[in-house]
């Protein structure tokens, strides 16, 4: 088929493409409206492919943009394209994959992949054979264009290529790709490795059948002059280490030597890819044997990689930025951690460096995991370096030394203890360094040694550390504020009631920070305040502390709308405070309680009417349920009047049946807390067979969802203790007994019979849980 454009229509499309490159937002809006109109005409897509592939008189950015608009149309409406249009597009793509412009070749490759990913690999049978055939072309552009498209298809459809649905084309493709590892063009060599790399992790059979040839070819490319080729070789070896270590073992010494060189590669992308090798190797059982004799070389290389690079220094070496508002992308999405959930996996991020994953972060992570493998054996290689780094006059080097000290804290703690009396004061001094990046890393590293600090007499280290960290919480640099706030939260968890004598001083600082912080750090400040409440508990329940703390929190609470996600950390913080303050929270409880009930009600209503509302963010409901739990736990019997005046039990009944495990988990926590605080409102829901609270709890005794199961078990236990008190007949005061041998001396109070019908619903599941291997300790305790 050969379609020809109408000249006037073509000019219209070209004008649209020119306008869409304008920075003016009003012009952009007009362009979007025009695009919507033109998409009504099926052959508009023919014009777009025509501009991309045939209109060589136009500039490359315009042609490429035409292809990208077509790609978006394919993504959104391909199933509605008339067959002649889709056939014309496919034909043009294959005819022009060898365009002389690399930008146009890449755009066509993206377009081919997008069509293929719309389920078209099955209905475009000539695509893969033709692309593979074009690899043999004498013309470099054709070979490179075909390889570019194949690489994208391998990335997007790796599983399909190894499936019977397509008659396993990989059996032909893998041997074909391997032939190009020796091609004279580095770009082609790089494409060939990248294509094969897509199939390592899934252990594709066609690759496993050719694994020795693949590894041999990789070794031959180890010293390739092209950085992209070296990067792909390193990536391949890292993945092979995970899936086919058996094939690498005979060559492990040489591979380690090679990776030691590449981790120092002049190209940072190659060095980063190679550095991943040490992270992966640390997870392998052979790590200690394989690496022991290489530590002398490896440790200095990792330490050297932990320095800031020039770009990060340019971006991050800002001293005073506290008045600069945060941009939205500064604020990472945060994940709510539910009440009573404790999986013990509290991942410590090393300092939140400016660029994302980079050589500095990867080197620090590698040193961290290797410290956990080698423990004290690492120190003879590290300590001689460390002293020179930590006291170095150049701040960049001193900063990297402080990061090293933090990275080894977990693995080498015992071996470091003799040096800490000298090092901790030095680090505390670094908290007032003139460089913000040194101050912020000192915060993080000190937090890694908080456990040791707290184990010493408080006047020695805890008091000076706390004093300096509180100053840093009020630093003029946002990054230091963030690091100090996070470090202080860690110190709070370790020190707990040791902080009670200093509460007034701590609260003054945290409350002052409220007026100082921009958006992002405000969220971290809530966490530090909530952690303080968790750590000191009822000691916070003093009129002067409440007077300092509550007004700024309630002010923020009133400012935030129900739809604002900043409510999450504030609700979490208030939940901890309500639990700690107990009766001290009474003056604030009514509006807080009402708003939580409203948030639950709104979210449930939105979820029940998907035709009227978009899917709600259930985190609003989860966090509200958790704050209600905090109120019930903190206020005890005082919560009874609030429950009496609300429909919380009806809402709870719905939440307990939600499809989202986290919602059920929080509802069971609240049910348990309400059972303890005001059982008279829970009891009708248990005893009324139409309510079915107990059967719902019974069906959630599924240890596949550990946290849900844990909370359901705990709630059942609390209900049992309220319903069927086991009372000594000789002891009318109502002493509870949980000991089986006392049953002869006990009589069930009349209410005990009310639990009887539910025993079959829960007992078998509980017995099954207690007999399961590897059941977490808290779940075993609650089950018991």
């Amino acid at each position: 088929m050969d379609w020809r454009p109408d000249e006037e229509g073509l000019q219209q499309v070209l004008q649209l493409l020119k306008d869409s490159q304008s920075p003016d937002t009003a012009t952009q809006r007009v362009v979007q409206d025009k695009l919507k109109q033109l998409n009504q005409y099926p052959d508009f897509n023919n014009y777009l492919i025509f501009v991309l592939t045939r209109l060589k008189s136009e500039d490359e950015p315009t042609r490429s943009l035409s292809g990208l608009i077509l790609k978006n149309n394919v993504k959104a409406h391909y199933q509605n394209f008339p067959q002649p249009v889709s056939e014309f597009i496919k034909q043009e793509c294959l005819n022009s994959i060898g365009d002389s412009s690399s930008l146009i070749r890449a755009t066509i490759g993206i377009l081919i992949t997008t069509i293929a990913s719309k389920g078209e690999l099955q209905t475009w049978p000539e695509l893969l054979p033709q692309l593979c055939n074009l690899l043999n072309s004498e013309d470099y552009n054709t070979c490179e264009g075909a390889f570019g498209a194949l690489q994208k298809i391998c990335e997007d459809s790796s599983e399909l290529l190894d499936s019977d649905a397509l008659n396993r084309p990989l059996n032909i493709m893998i041997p074909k790709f391997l032939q190009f590892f020796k091609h004279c063009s580095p770009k082609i060599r790089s494409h060939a490795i990248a294509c094969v790399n897509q199939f390592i992790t899934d252990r594709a059979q066609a690759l496993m059948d050719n694994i020795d040839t693949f590894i041999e070819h990789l070794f031959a490319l180890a010293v390739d002059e092209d950085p992209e080729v070296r990067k792909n070789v390193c990536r391949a070896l890292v993945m092979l280490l995970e899936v086919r270590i058996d094939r690498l073992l005979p060559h492990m010494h040489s591979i380690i030597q090679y990776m030691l060189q590449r981790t120092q590669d002049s190209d940072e992308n190659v060095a980063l890819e190679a550095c991943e090798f040490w992270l992966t190797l640390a997870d392998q059982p052979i790590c200690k044997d394989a690496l022991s004799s290489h530590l002398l070389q490896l440790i200095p290389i990792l330490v050297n990689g932990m320095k800031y690079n020039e770009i990060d220094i340019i971006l991050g070496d800002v001293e005073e930025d506290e008045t600069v508002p945060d941009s939205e992308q500064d604020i990472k999405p945060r994940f709510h951690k539910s009440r009573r959930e404790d999986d013990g996996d509290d991942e410590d991020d090393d300092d939140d460096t400016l660029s994302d994953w980079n050589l500095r972060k990867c080197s620090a992570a590698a040193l961290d995991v290797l410290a956990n493998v080698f423990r004290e054996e690492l120190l003879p290689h590290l300590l001689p370096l460390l002293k020179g780094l930590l006291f170095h006059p150049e701040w960049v080097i001193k900063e990297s030394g402080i990061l090293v000290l933090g990275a080894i804290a977990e693995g080498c703690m015992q071996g470091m203890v003799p040096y800490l009396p000298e090092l901790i004061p030095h680090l505390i001094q670094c908290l007032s360094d003139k460089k913000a990046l040194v101050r912020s890393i000192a915060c993080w590293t000190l937090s890694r040694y908080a456990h040791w600090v707290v184990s010493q007499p408080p006047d020695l280290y805890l008091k000076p550390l706390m004093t300096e960290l509180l100053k840093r919480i009020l630093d003029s640099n946002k990054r230091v504020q963030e690091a100090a706030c996070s470090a202080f939260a860690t110190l709070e968890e370790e020190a707990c009631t040791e902080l009670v004598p200093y509460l007034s001083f701590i609260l003054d600082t945290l409350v002052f920070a409220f007026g100082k912080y921009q958006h992002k750090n405000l969220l971290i400040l809530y966490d530090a305040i909530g952690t303080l409440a968790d750590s000191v508990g009822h000691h916070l329940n003093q009129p002067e502390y409440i007077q300092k703390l509550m007004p700024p929190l309630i002010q923020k609470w009133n400012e935030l709308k129900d739809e604002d996600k900043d409510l999450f950390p504030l609700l979490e913080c208030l939940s901890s405070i309500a639990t700690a303050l107990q009766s001290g929270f009474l003056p604030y409880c009514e509006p807080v309680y009402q708003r939580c009930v409203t948030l639950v009600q709104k979210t449930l209503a939105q979820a029940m009417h998907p035709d009227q509302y978009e899917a709600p963010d259930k985190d609003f409901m989860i966090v509200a349920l958790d704050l209600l739990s905090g109120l019930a736990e903190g206020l005890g019997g005082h919560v009874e009047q609030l429950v009496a005046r609300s429909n919380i039990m009806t809402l709870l009944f719905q939440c307990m049946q939600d499809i989202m495990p986290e919602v059920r988990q929080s509802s069971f926590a609240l049910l348990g807390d309400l059972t303890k605080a005001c059982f008279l409102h829970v009891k009708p829901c248990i005893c009324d067979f139409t309510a079915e609270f107990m059967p719902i709890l019974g069906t959630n005794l599924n240890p596949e969802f550990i946290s849900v199961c844990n909370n359901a078990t705990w709630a059942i236990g609390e209900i049992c203790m309220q319903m069927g008190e086991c009372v000594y007949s000789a002891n009318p005061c109502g002493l509870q007994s949980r000991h089986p041998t006392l049953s002869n001396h006990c009589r069930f109070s009349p209410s005990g019979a009310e639990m009887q019908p539910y025993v079959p619903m829960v007992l078998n599941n509980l017995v099954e849980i207690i007999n399961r291997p590897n059941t977490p300790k808290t779940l075993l305790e609650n089950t018991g």
Side-chain angles (χ1 to χ4, degrees), residues 627-695:
L627 177 43
L628 289 170
S629 272
L631 287 173
E633 192 179 335
L635 298 175
H638 294 295
V639 84
E640 189 273 321
Q641 293 171 333
L642 297 169
V643 174
R645 293 200 297 272
S646 72
N647 61 339
I648 188 64
M649 296 313 296
T650 313
L651 299 174
L652 194 52
F653 183 56
Q654 288 173 262
C655 294
M656 286 165 60
Q657 297 171 81
D658 199 274
I659 53 168
M660 192 173 174
E662 292 81 0
V663 176
R664 300 200 303 278
Q665 178 183 323
S666 291
S667 1
F668 298 146
L670 176 55
L671 179 62
D673 281 317
L674 289 175
T675 300
K676 288 173 79 170
C678 54
F679 187 59
L680 73 123
H681 293 295
V682 176
K683 189 173 180 181
C685 305
I686 304 295
C687 297
D688 176 359
F689 261 89
T690 57
E692 294 185 332
F693 267 55
M694 285 303 287

Side-chain angles (χ1 to χ4, degrees), residues 131-181:
L131 287 175
C132 285
N133 206 22
L134 291 172
L135 296 181
N136 301 325
S137 170
E138 293 292 309
D139 175 51
Y140 166 79
N141 292 336
T142 304
C143 177
E144 197 279 323
F147 239 136
L150 280 165
Q151 185 180 329
K152 293 180 182 79
I153 290 169
C154 290
E155 285 167 13
D156 285 3
S157 310
S158 61
E159 280 182 38
L160 194 55
L161 295 174
D162 193 29
S163 71
D164 290 329
L166 289 182
N167 211 5
R168 300 195 181 272
L170 219 50
N171 293 340
I172 295 161
M173 291 164 74
I174 294 278
K176 181 94 179 166
F177 295 153
L178 289 170
Q179 291 169 14
F180 286 87
F181 277 42

